[in-house]
Amino acid sequence: MGLRVFVSLLALCTSTIDGATLPYHDGYDYHFKHMGVHLDLALNTKDNLMIGGKAYVELPVSSIYEFIETNIHMFKDLLAPYQKQILDTTIVEIGKLFKIKTSLFKEFLKIKTIKADITFIGEKVLEGIYDIAVDYTFVLKDGTEEKGTLKMKGEKVGGKFITSVEVVSKSLTVPTKITMICNLPYTHDITVTGSFGKLFINIANDVNELSVRVVTEYLGHQYKYSAVLSLVEKFFTLTYQEPGEQPKTFVIKHKVVNSYPRIEITGYVPATSYYKVGEFKTELIQNKLYDYEVKHTFNGLEILKLKIGLTKATLDITLAYRNFLKTRMVVDYTKKMVTVLFPKTNTWITGNKGIEVNIEYQPTNKANPLEGGHIKMVAMKGSVPLFKFGGYFGLIINAAKYELLFKNFYLENALLINELGHLEISTDIIEAKFNAKIFIDLINKYGILNKIAVEAKAEKNTEVLFNIIFTTVETSPKLYIYFPYFLKKVLNIHDIKYLETKFEHVVSGYEHTITIGCNYKNIKFVVKVTPTMIAYEHLVGQVSHFKHVIEFKFENTAKSFLVAVKSKFNLHETSPLYKMLYHLSPNYACFKEMTTNYHFEILDKTAMKAYISVYVLKDTALIFHFEFNNMQFPYKIMLKAPYLIVEYKPSTKEVKIVINSVTKTYYPTMTPIGENKFEFGINGEALAHVVIGIKNIEIITLHKALPTITAIFTWKTFSIFENSIGIQLLYKQIAHKILVGWNINNLAKAFMEVKMTGSGTNLLGDYELFHHLNWNIVDIKKIDLISTGKVLSTGLPYLNTPMMTNGQLAFNDFVVNMKMIVKHKTETYTLVFLTKPFKIAFLPFFTFP
């Protein structure tokens, strides 16, 4: 209610609205009735307006807003963002005491007219003494009225200024009252009472300290908050206390000890699931110019202690945890050498064994230390070395290559592990060596990929543990693996000591032959590719375990179209695939030769004269044969299959299909029940009604075990080269629709489009999924693809605004250039992949190189 009073006082400043003329009120000296505003005014004395008087006001609030909204576009555009902000912003919760939800504009727009009788006394208003009383009436748009009284009073008592505001509404049982006591410029006390409880705020300030204290009271319970900033004692304190509980404090103090600053943080932590209740203290101490110390204690127990000391060329760091884990690291650095020392006092890994670890790094290039250098690490127990470790590493990054090198790394006298008995690890290594290299050629390529070489070799006590080589830099790429443990324990190979795989690529005219050979059982994998054939074969020794040959023919002219594919897949009895199929079913799944022939030919695109033939042979048995021929009358449709029988009765137009499986026979039937309407069933039980139209088919489920679903299939033409097919599924209020369109009259330059829409589901809401793909194939070396897409789902928070995609993929002379752009809300993400020059990026996150 106080909000509406405040709005009414603001509205009194506006007097530019046309409206009906209102009658005068008796007992007033001055009258104003113009442009919809009515004001009557009477003064106690006409010589001094501030002495006092009374006034009557009527203000047409709704007319003001309508005028601004419809006629002054400049104000509308100016106030629009502020209006939305105010409408959307609410005060949800203050502490744990009360909840207030209000909106300035929402309350304001409910008011049609404001009426107010005002009396005021302000003879000493400049001294802070005044008295104002307002009897107000809000006439709402629905015709109801809200009445109340607003009192504002200022007085001076004992040198203090007291300002009080009280709102009494007939619709509220508890009046709202605000009292402010000011002792300028030092203290300010504000008290607010109402139906929500009581709020007391004290603000005190002087040259030494600033404090804010807040007490909220609700249902007899007090919640206390305070914040104190002391400029003299240099501390800041936050305190919070709930009813019947100990205060929670957070204090930051600044001190100067021996001319160096020190920061002390203390506080009280309540009990949670992660830590127990108690007091903590954290100190940040500067002992000298480059000597720092951090201490943390909890309930009087020192938990953490960190010391950092820095001299001209030494960094000394000591970390202690609960006084039983201690770590110290000393770093000495010069332009030529960096030394890291872990003294024998460390207990973080060695217990109390008195072991000292020294690490040295000497860069080969002083200007760029990360370019490479020598590493040396020694662990000592007294004067006895427990182990020595070291070697050289190098890193080269330039426009021609990337190279990472680990050279002559060694590990000697590895007795340290035996000293660490609490780790329960032992080793018999006396001396070990390791070398490795990773090389990427940024200029030369093998196919579409950069040439690469990876080598790694490790020895233990002069015995080779493993030796791995993978390279595409040489003329014939190869993979060499010498790893006895891996071969015997993992691969279960015992008759050879190493695996070696070689790769050969031979080009003869239009024929490409790729051979991958392995020394294990003389295994080979051979692939041959020609413009009309693809064949691949797996051989073990001289025995072909499987061979697959695919021959194809493709012709497309303005008049005709032909696609012919013949596939033959051979299996040997000793091959693992044959044994697996034999285990599944010796009669049905197992075979030695599988032959498949596809022939799709259109002799006349205009007349749609076509010949289609598909057959499948397993060994010598016919599995499936389908043939369609409308090149001459009568047309021919033939279907042969050992386990499928189709029967058509012209007299009843009934179609009967018999499916013989291994365990059961099924009899699907299609029985006419009306004009273009059929009943579909299996084994005499009706499942659905089917209605066939000119360019659509509608299916309605009937079976009690199935939900009542309506499926509608539509198509534009009977052409397989240019068409659009729609599928619509309806179930109660849920609807899904899929539309697929394409134009492949010219297969080298065509498009395909898919669009899915739906509504009525709780998870997805209203959704839309769209994808369009265009391609242009000039030849095998030049292919362009362009795609666009859209994803929208009102039920998913992260997709309730459309996500748009735009992609391009170009293949030009064996160079791949791909770019995918995704726009979601205000963000744009871009994926880039380019093979020459090589580049991969996911913007705005990273780009390489």
Side-chain angles (χ1 to χ4, degrees):
M1 189 57 62
L3 173 62
R4 289 179 177 167
V5 175
F6 175 71
V7 172
S8 66
L9 294 177
L10 293 178
L12 291 177
C13 301
T14 306
S15 59
T16 59
I17 305 302
D18 294 328
T21 303
L22 300 174
Y24 291 114
H25 282 69
D26 296 332
Y28 293 88
D29 301 326
Y30 304 95
H31 305 279
F32 176 83
K33 54 171 186 175
H34 185 62
M35 301 176 72
V37 179
H38 187 180
L39 172 63
D40 298 324
L41 178 64
L43 300 175
N44 293 341
T45 173
K46 298 180 181 180
D47 297 334
N48 189 349
L49 299 179
M50 306 304 297
I51 289 179
K54 62 179 181 178
Y56 175 79
V57 180
E58 286 191 15
L59 188 65
V61 176
S62 60
S63 300
I64 296 173
Y65 182 78
E66 291 172 3
F67 180 84
I68 294 175
E69 186 179 43
T70 58
N71 297 301
I72 307 179
H73 300 290
M74 180 182 68
F75 284 175
K76 182 178 179 181
D77 295 339
L78 180 63
L79 295 176
Y82 301 101
Q83 175 183 345
K84 182 180 186 306
Q85 180 180 3
I86 297 174
L87 285 171
D88 293 343
T89 304
T90 57
I91 303 174
V92 180
E93 182 177 359
I94 300 179
K96 297 181 180 179
L97 307 179
F98 50 85
K99 296 181 178 179
I100 300 176
K101 293 186 177 180
T102 184
S103 176
L104 181 59
F105 260 80
K106 285 183 179 179
E107 295 294 327
F108 182 77
L109 295 178
K110 291 180 182 179
I111 304 173
K112 181 180 180 181
T113 306
I114 299 175
K115 301 178 182 180
D117 284 302
I118 305 172
T119 60
F120 60 94
I121 300 174
E123 183 177 1
K124 298 182 180 180
V125 65
L126 298 178
E127 301 177 13
I129 300 173
Y130 57 91
D131 193 354
I132 301 174
V134 180
D135 292 323
Y136 61 85
T137 301
F138 296 128
V139 181
L140 305 182
K141 291 182 178 180
D142 59 2
T144 59
E145 295 184 351
E146 294 187 10
K147 297 183 178 182
T149 302
L150 168 66
K151 295 181 180 180
M152 299 178 62
K153 186 175 183 180
E155 54 186 337
K156 187 176 183 180
V157 179
K160 297 181 179 181
F161 292 98
I162 301 175
T163 300
S164 61
V165 179
E166 183 177 4
V167 179
V168 181
S169 174
K170 292 184 178 180
S171 61
L172 297 177
T173 57
V174 181
T176 301
K177 185 176 182 180
I178 302 174
T179 303
M180 183 171 64
I181 302 176
C182 299
N183 184 15
L184 297 177
Y186 302 110
T187 60
H188 308 270
D189 293 331
I190 302 172
T191 305
V192 182
T193 58
S195 58
F196 50 79
K198 184 177 181 180
L199 173 66
F200 173 76
I201 303 174
N202 172 264
I203 303 174
N205 65 284
D206 55 29
V207 296
N208 299 323
E209 185 178 279
L210 172 64
S211 64
V212 178
R213 293 176 173 84
V214 179
V215 179
T216 58
E217 184 175 327
Y218 182 67
L219 299 178
H221 299 286
Q222 287 190 345
Y223 299 79
K224 299 179 181 181
Y225 313 83
S226 66
V228 179
L229 174 63
S230 176
L231 303 178
V232 175
E233 299 184 16
K234 298 180 180 180
F235 72 83
F236 175 73
T237 304
L238 290 175
T239 305
Y240 166 66
Q241 183 178 11
E242 293 187 0
E245 295 187 4
Q246 187 175 349
K248 285 84 172 175
T249 59
F250 181 81
V251 182
I252 301 177
K253 292 183 178 180
H254 179 270
K255 301 178 181 179
V256 177
V257 179
N258 297 327
S259 302
Y260 291 103
R262 177 177 299 187
I263 297 176
E264 183 180 288
I265 303 173
T266 59
Y268 178 85
V269 180
T272 67
S273 57
Y274 298 101
Y275 44 79
K276 59 183 180 180
V277 65
E279 296 182 356
F280 72 90
K281 180 180 179 181
T282 303
E283 295 179 277
L284 286 76
I285 305 169
Q286 183 179 5
N287 297 317
K288 295 180 181 180
L289 184 60
Y290 298 108
D291 189 350
Y292 300 90
E293 188 174 348
V294 179
K295 295 181 181 180
H296 178 74
T297 60
F298 185 74
N299 286 337
L301 177 65
E302 186 175 86
I303 303 299
L304 187 70
K305 185 176 181 180
L306 173 66
K307 295 183 67 176
I308 302 175
L310 180 64
T311 61
K312 185 176 181 181
T314 303
L315 175 64
D316 193 337
I317 301 175
T318 303
L319 176 64
Y321 177 74
R322 289 182 176 269
N323 290 327
F324 62 84
L325 289 180
K326 184 177 180 181
T327 301
R328 185 185 177 197
M329 181 176 70
V330 181
V331 182
D332 292 328
Y333 51 92
T334 63
K335 292 184 178 181
K336 297 181 179 180
M337 181 79 69
V338 177
T339 303
V340 180
L341 175 66
F342 293 92
K344 62 180 67 177
T345 55
N346 281 325
T347 59
W348 64 284
I349 189 172
T350 62
N352 294 307
K353 302 293 184 178
I355 298 175
E356 180 179 281
V357 180
N358 190 312
I359 303 174
E360 295 181 356
Y361 173 63
Q362 185 175 2
T364 54
N365 187 352
K366 302 174 185 177
N368 190 0
L370 297 180
E371 189 176 286
H374 295 275
I375 300 174
K376 182 180 179 181
M377 181 168 63
V378 179
M380 304 286 292
K381 184 176 182 181
S383 59
V384 179
L386 297 179
F387 78 89
K388 296 180 181 180
F389 173 80
Y392 170 82
F393 96 93
L395 178 64
I396 300 175
I397 299 178
N398 54 40
K401 65 178 180 179
Y402 296 156
E403 186 174 25
L404 178 63
L405 181 65
F406 297 92
K407 185 177 180 181
N408 298 328
F409 271 80
Y410 61 90
L411 176 64
E412 297 179 359
N413 300 328
L415 304 178
L416 176 61
I417 302 299
N418 294 324
E419 292 288 336
L420 308 181
H422 60 283
L423 294 180
E424 298 182 356
I425 301 176
S426 62
T427 180
D428 58 349
I429 297 178
I430 298 176
E431 182 179 6
K433 296 180 180 180
F434 176 74
N435 291 273
K437 182 179 75 172
I438 300 175
F439 170 82
I440 301 176
D441 191 336
L442 301 181
I443 299 176
N444 302 304
K445 293 181 178 294
Y446 188 85
I448 62 173
L449 300 177
N450 295 85
K451 290 187 176 182
I452 186 173
V454 179
E455 299 180 18
K457 183 178 180 181
E459 299 180 6
K460 184 189 82 169
N461 301 336
T462 68
E463 180 184 357
V464 178
L465 289 176
F466 65 83
N467 187 10
I468 299 173
I469 301 174
F470 172 72
T471 176
T472 61
V473 177
E474 300 177 3
T475 305
S476 297
K478 71 173 182 178
L479 172 65
Y480 175 87
I481 301 176
Y482 177 85
F483 200 163
Y485 179 85
F486 178 77
L487 295 178
K488 295 178 181 179
K489 301 295 183 180
V490 179
L491 300 181
N492 196 26
I493 298 175
H494 299 273
D495 52 349
I496 61 173
K497 294 184 178 181
Y498 65 90
L499 280 178
E500 185 174 15
T501 302
K502 293 184 179 181
F503 182 93
E504 294 182 358
H505 184 193
V506 179
V507 180
S508 177
Y510 291 103
E511 182 178 287
H512 292 252
T513 303
I514 300 173
T515 304
I516 302 175
C518 180
N519 65 323
Y520 176 63
K521 294 184 179 181
N522 196 19
I523 294 176
K524 288 184 180 180
F525 189 78
V526 183
V527 179
K528 290 185 178 181
V529 180
T530 69
T532 61
M533 185 268 294
I534 297 176
Y536 54 91
E537 183 179 13
H538 176 237
L539 298 99
V540 179
Q542 301 300 320
V543 179
S544 175
H545 273 216
F546 69 80
K547 183 177 182 180
H548 191 193
V549 180
I550 304 172
E551 297 176 293
F552 47 86
K553 185 178 181 180
F554 176 79
E555 294 179 0
N556 186 23
T557 66
K559 183 180 179 181
S560 63
F561 175 80
L562 171 66
V563 174
V565 180
K566 185 177 181 181
S567 171
K568 183 177 289 187
F569 190 83
N570 296 94
L571 277 177
H572 194 269
E573 295 177 349
T574 59
S575 69
L577 180 58
Y578 182 91
K579 294 178 180 178
M580 182 185 69
L581 295 176
Y582 186 87
H583 177 74
L584 292 175
S585 176
N587 297 324
Y588 293 99
C590 188
F591 65 90
K592 293 182 180 180
E593 182 178 273
M594 181 74 72
T595 304
T596 307
N597 196 325
Y598 306 90
H599 186 95
F600 183 87
E601 183 177 6
I602 296 180
L603 278 75
D604 191 340
K605 292 183 179 179
T606 305
M608 289 303 297
K609 298 294 183 178
Y611 172 72
I612 302 173
S613 175
V614 180
Y615 71 82
V616 180
L617 295 175
K618 190 188 76 168
D619 295 327
T620 58
L622 177 66
I623 300 298
F624 178 83
H625 185 192
F626 171 79
E627 186 174 330
F628 171 83
N629 189 341
N630 69 344
M631 292 187 296
Q632 58 185 6
F633 192 81
Y635 298 160
K636 182 180 180 181
I637 300 177
M638 183 181 67
L639 177 63
K640 293 182 180 179
Y643 308 107
L644 180 66
I645 302 174
V646 180
E647 181 182 350
Y648 174 68
K649 297 180 179 181
S651 59
T652 61
K653 296 182 180 180
E654 183 178 358
V655 179
K656 185 177 181 181
I657 303 172
V658 181
I659 303 174
N660 292 315
S661 69
V662 179
T663 59
K664 191 174 182 181
T665 302
Y666 298 91
Y667 299 95
T669 58
M670 187 79 74
T671 306
I673 58 175
E675 185 177 0
N676 298 328
K677 189 173 183 179
F678 301 85
E679 184 178 87
F680 174 75
I682 295 180
N683 294 347
E685 190 171 3
L687 296 181
H689 281 168
V690 180
V691 181
I692 301 177
I694 298 177
K695 292 185 178 181
N696 68 286
I697 295 177
E698 182 176 342
I699 301 175
I700 305 173
T701 58
L702 299 175
H703 198 275
K704 61 181 180 180
L706 301 174
T708 304
I709 298 175
T710 301
I712 303 173
F713 301 86
T714 60
W715 57 88
K716 185 177 180 180
T717 67
F718 288 98
S719 172
I720 64 172
F721 299 100
E722 182 179 2
N723 207 342
S724 63
I725 296 177
I727 303 174
Q728 187 173 7
L729 300 177
L730 303 175
Y731 174 68
K732 296 182 179 180
Q733 80 279 7
I734 300 174
H736 303 282
K737 189 173 183 180
I738 303 174
L739 182 64
V740 181
W742 67 89
N743 186 342
I744 55 173
N745 283 311
N746 182 1
L747 284 178
K749 190 175 183 180
F751 80 87
M752 183 174 291
E753 184 175 283
V754 179
K755 184 176 181 180
M756 300 176 60
T757 58
S759 62
T761 61
N762 295 328
L763 177 62
L764 300 178
D766 297 338
Y767 70 88
E768 178 180 352
L769 178 63
F770 172 79
H771 187 76
H772 181 95
L773 176 64
N774 283 66
W775 66 84
N776 183 14
I777 304 175
V778 179
D779 53 40
I780 193 65
K781 292 185 178 182
K782 185 171 178 60
I783 302 174
D784 293 319
L785 289 89
I786 299 176
S787 68
T788 58
K790 177 182 178 181
V791 180
L792 171 66
S793 175
T794 59
L796 301 176
Y798 47 86
L799 289 177
N800 56 15
T801 56
M803 181 175 69
M804 313 298 294
T805 62
N806 192 333
Q808 296 180 1
L809 175 62
F811 184 77
N812 190 359
D813 198 16
F814 300 104
V815 176
V816 178
N817 187 355
M818 184 188 74
K819 185 177 183 181
M820 175 66 73
I821 300 175
V822 179
K823 294 183 179 180
H824 187 220
K825 297 182 179 179
T826 59
E827 303 295 334
T828 300
Y829 306 95
T830 305
L831 176 64
V832 178
F833 178 74
L834 182 64
T835 58
K836 186 176 183 179
F838 180 77
K839 180 180 180 181
I840 183 170
F842 185 37
L843 305 176
F845 302 106
F846 78 90
T847 300
F848 178 83

